Amino acid sequence: MSARHHKIGIKHVIRLEWMDKTLDMMLAGLSAKEIRNELDIFLSDKKQSGGTGERDTQAYKKAVTNLMLTWCTPEKALIPFRDDVLAIAKTTPISERIPLHWAMISAAYPFWFGVAKQIGRLLNLQSQITKKQIIQRLKEEYGDRETISRFSRYVIRSFVAWDILEDASVKGNYLQKKKIPTDQKQVAVLAESTLLSTIESSHALKNIMDSSSLFAFNISPISGDYLLKKQSAN
């Protein structure tokens, strides 16, 4: 168990194109210092909505921190996993990277995983869900803190920015977009990320694949033997 399992961490909307920018720099071999400097410049005029304009310095630096701790300087225990995901990213088209980004940010910030889990559970019950319902469930798990309400909104808006959820006609209501397809390598990454995102040390394969935290994905079939071979190769 790590301290990351207990912290909220996500203090800014994280847009998909920012994740791609960070990953591209990692794949290009830039150092962590170079990537941070580039992100400081790149995000200095980027708004959470996707537009540009004058920004408060402290606001965008929170996003820089999230991006760095996800891809560039994760917790030491996550570095082997990050390196495995980087190897897959080298041959993954940019349009198919969402499972890789999701796996990394869930492992680095389990609160992202926790929000996804509650959203997935709600979507199993109804086609349209509300921010109030999501936050209520999160408070039951993490405690009734003001930070839960504020930071969960950043994660929810990130899901919308990633085209995983969409705003319904009523404000504060959300619908699920089309599930994202996955291949075996991506499913294996998502499965390992699920283990890294939870405090429990082990789960049955079926429970991992059926996890509500993976609601955004169309999970392709995968065998336990495939996962074992992958772990042996590592």
Side-chain angles (χ1 to χ4, degrees):
M1 184 173 63
S2 167
R4 64 190 165 84
H5 291 103
H6 298 289
K7 67 181 181 181
I8 305 303
I10 304 292
K11 300 179 180 179
H12 197 285
V13 172
I14 304 299
R15 298 191 62 82
L16 186 60
E17 58 267 28
W18 303 351
M19 293 283 280
D20 281 328
K21 172 79 172 178
T22 309
L23 177 53
D24 284 339
M25 290 191 285
M26 286 289 296
L27 293 174
L30 273 66
S31 68
K33 183 178 180 180
E34 290 171 325
I35 292 173
R36 179 176 286 278
N37 289 339
E38 288 291 327
L39 288 174
D40 276 335
I41 297 169
F42 177 69
L43 294 181
S44 62
D45 67 344
K46 302 294 189 297
K47 295 186 176 181
Q48 300 184 80
S49 62
T52 59
E54 189 173 349
R55 297 280 320 269
D56 172 67
T57 301
Q58 293 304 313
Y60 75 78
K61 285 191 176 294
K62 292 175 181 176
V64 171
T65 297
N66 289 149
L67 294 166
M68 291 296 296
L69 289 176
T70 295
W71 275 113
C72 306
T73 54
E75 184 179 289
K76 185 177 180 180
L78 296 179
I79 291 177
F81 175 61
R82 189 277 312 274
D83 291 346
D84 287 346
V85 181
L86 277 177
I88 296 171
K90 289 178 181 178
T91 57
T92 300
I94 193 169
S95 61
E96 298 174 12
R97 284 178 173 176
I98 287 182
L100 307 184
H101 289 315
W102 185 279
M104 281 307 308
I105 199 168
S106 292
Y109 291 99
F111 184 67
W112 180 285
F113 170 92
V115 176
K117 179 176 67 175
Q118 298 305 337
I119 290 176
R121 287 175 176 175
L122 286 166
L123 287 170
N124 282 335
L125 300 173
Q126 57 205 66
S127 60
Q128 185 166 308
I129 62 177
T130 71
K131 179 170 63 179
K132 183 177 180 180
Q133 289 173 325
I134 299 167
I135 292 174
Q136 180 58 44
R137 285 184 171 232
L138 287 168
K139 285 183 175 181
E140 291 172 0
E141 181 173 355
Y142 292 93
D144 191 358
R145 295 177 278 165
E146 176 56 32
T147 51
I148 297 299
S149 298
R150 184 165 71 254
F151 296 156
S152 62
R153 287 195 285 268
Y154 293 137
V155 180
I156 294 167
R157 294 314 303 174
S158 296
F159 290 0
V160 174
W162 289 31
D163 210 26
I164 287 167
L165 294 178
E166 67 175 338
D167 293 307
S169 56
V170 178
K171 186 177 180 180
N173 287 30
Y174 306 98
L175 300 166
Q176 181 172 9
K177 298 295 289 287
K178 186 177 180 180
K179 287 179 178 281
I180 298 165
T182 57
D183 60 27
Q184 280 203 325
K185 288 184 179 179
Q186 292 169 336
V187 172
V189 163
L190 289 169
E192 187 170 355
S193 174
T194 299
L195 292 175
L196 291 168
S197 302
T198 55
I199 295 175
E200 294 82 2
S201 59
S202 63
H203 295 268
L205 177 61
K206 185 178 187 304
N207 291 340
I208 295 174
M209 297 297 91
D210 291 342
S211 173
S212 58
S213 65
L214 302 180
F215 77 92
F217 303 99
N218 185 6
I219 301 296
S220 60
I222 189 171
S223 68
D225 287 342
Y226 178 87
L227 289 178
L228 287 173
K229 288 177 182 177
K230 180 179 180 301
Q231 290 300 317
S232 298
N234 292 338

